[in-house]
Amino acid sequence: KAGVTQTPRYLIKTRGQQVTLSCSPISGHRSVSWYQQTPGQGLQFLFEYFSETQRNKGNFPGRFSGRQFSNSRSEMNVSTLELGDSALYLCASSLERGGYTDTQYFGPGTRLTVL
Amino acid sequence: SQQGEEDPQALSIQEGENATMNCSYKTSINNLQWYRQNSGRGLVHLILIRSNEREKHSGRLRVTLDTSKKSSSLLITASRAADTASYFCAPRGGANNLFFGTGTRLTVIP
């Protein structure tokens, strides 16, 4: 099976712009989670989607949003970019067993730089 | 908080030596997972240990879990230069998302 893929791998934007990142989960996985990784804050949970619905949300401002499509692919959007949004954005997918997801499989990440 | 806290923050050893890193957490869990991250890349799942298990092995990896002390340890035996990476623990309770600590940065010197 192909792993989790994320596009683009690298992105450079300027403050005030918006950006959309894409994630394709492993075939058959219906849960997709997003994480932000920065040197200062470490790995932080953004949100989780399952069956096109946001199931969990981390402590991020409303500028961060996401969605999931019927084929389980997911996108996250960041509007009005700030310098502090520069980070590695990781997507992870997992199987759903009895209402509980297990091991998460991560993509390679999208490196976003905001200038 | 469900977040795991890894200790030490950094570890440097010679190739062939064993590396031990620890994880502590504060809430009750269903399982605890360990992940590895090579510099600036995605995380790779290493091993999952359930709350009713005390020890688990996978190749050169050995994980222990002590739920009474709310702690886990990851032992990498006969380390290799390719083991150089950051290692994260993720204790998992009822939520479906993972709360990572800041990780242990392992450097294996050839």
Side-chain angles (χ1 to χ4, degrees):
Chain A
K1 276 185 180 178
V4 178
T5 58
Q6 291 187 246
T7 57
R9 293 292 311 278
Y10 301 91
L11 205 49
I12 299 176
K13 292 284 188 179
T14 56
R15 277 184 300 175
Q17 287 187 310
Q18 75 165 21
V19 66
T20 299
L21 312 181
S22 180
C23 171
S24 293
I26 292 172
S27 177
H29 287 193
R30 294 198 294 164
S31 170
V32 174
S33 297
W34 289 89
Y35 296 84
Q36 180 197 64
Q37 186 176 31
T38 59
Q41 299 296 319
L43 270 162
Q44 293 189 288
F45 169 73
L46 279 157
F47 28 64
E48 183 215 3
Y49 285 87
F50 178 78
S51 291
E52 303 178 64
T53 301
Q54 187 180 88
R55 190 159 63 176
N56 285 297
K57 189 178 189 304
N59 189 26
F60 277 81
R63 300 186 297 107
F64 292 82
S65 63
R67 59 177 175 168
Q68 186 180 34
F69 302 95
S70 57
N71 61 358
S72 293
R73 190 177 69 85
S74 177
E75 289 181 347
M76 68 162 281
N77 184 277
V78 188
S79 63
T80 319
L81 284 166
E82 300 176 359
L83 295 178
D85 297 333
S86 293
L88 180 66
Y89 290 88
L90 294 164
C91 163
S93 75
S94 56
L95 272 173
E96 173 86 356
R97 269 188 275 252
Y100 181 71
T101 58
D102 218 310
T103 299
Q104 295 199 349
Y105 297 87
F106 284 79
T110 294
R111 173 75 63 184
L112 171 65
T113 301
V114 182
L115 302 175
Chain B
S1 154
Q2 197 172 302
Q3 185 174 12
E5 293 182 16
E6 296 89 352
D7 175 69
Q9 289 189 334
L11 181 61
S12 185
I13 60 174
Q14 296 288 330
E15 200 166 32
E17 293 181 337
N18 296 340
T20 299
M21 49 206 89
N22 304 296
C23 170
S24 61
Y25 57 92
K26 294 180 180 177
T27 63
S28 59
I29 61 171
N30 291 315
N31 64 61
L32 186 142
Q33 303 177 36
W34 284 91
Y35 288 79
R36 183 189 74 224
Q37 184 180 35
N38 292 87
S39 183
R41 299 183 184 176
L43 277 74
V44 174
H45 180 260
L46 294 176
I47 196 165
L48 179 153
I49 186 165
R50 301 195 186 281
S51 60
N52 61 353
E53 298 175 310
R54 291 297 168 257
E55 188 172 312
K56 201 163 183 179
H57 296 254
S58 177
R60 294 184 296 112
L61 305 180
R62 173 179 168 250
V63 168
T64 61
L65 179 65
D66 187 334
T67 53
S68 67
K69 295 182 180 178
K70 291 186 168 55
S71 67
S72 173
S73 67
L74 172 67
L75 168 67
I76 304 173
T77 60
S79 63
R80 306 166 182 169
D83 294 328
T84 293
S86 291
Y87 292 81
F88 297 87
C89 71
R92 191 160 207 180
N96 282 326
N97 46 284
L98 298 175
F99 292 92
F100 294 93
T102 54
T104 291
R105 175 74 190 160
L106 173 66
T107 302
V108 180
I109 303 167

